[in-house]
Amino acid sequence: MNIKQVIELVEKWIADPKSVSRKELRAARAVAVHAADAWYAVRTAWCAAQSALNGDIYYAEHWVAKYHKNHND
């Protein structure tokens, strides 16, 4: 399932709440959470790179630390 499918499922639920199971909605929510986590990682990396391009060590360190705090890899 992708984000478009999540929206389509919710639209289906809006039109007829009984047409979508709670299990389907939970699965859709999980996809959305994963997408949000991925978006946050990309945003954090972008901010770190932009800070480095600006020559701002303080903020580059800040964004790198934020990344490591939220992505234990």
Side-chain angles (χ1 to χ4, degrees):
M1 180 180 294
N2 60 38
I3 293 299
K4 182 179 177 187
Q5 292 168 321
V6 169
I7 295 301
E8 289 170 351
L9 185 69
V10 174
E11 289 173 336
K12 181 179 175 185
W13 177 85
I14 290 168
D16 180 9
K18 293 183 181 187
S19 69
V20 178
S21 72
R22 292 190 61 75
K23 182 178 180 181
E24 290 173 297
L25 291 172
R26 281 189 207 98
R29 181 181 61 189
V31 168
V33 166
H34 180 71
D37 287 345
W39 178 87
Y40 184 78
V42 168
R43 180 181 174 277
T44 303
W46 184 90
C47 289
Q50 185 62 45
S51 297
L53 282 170
N54 292 343
D56 191 330
I57 292 171
Y58 174 81
Y59 278 110
E61 289 174 339
H62 167 81
W63 288 110
V64 167
K66 263 190 167 311
Y67 176 85
H68 286 300
K69 179 180 177 189
N70 290 300
H71 301 83
N72 299 320
D73 56 12

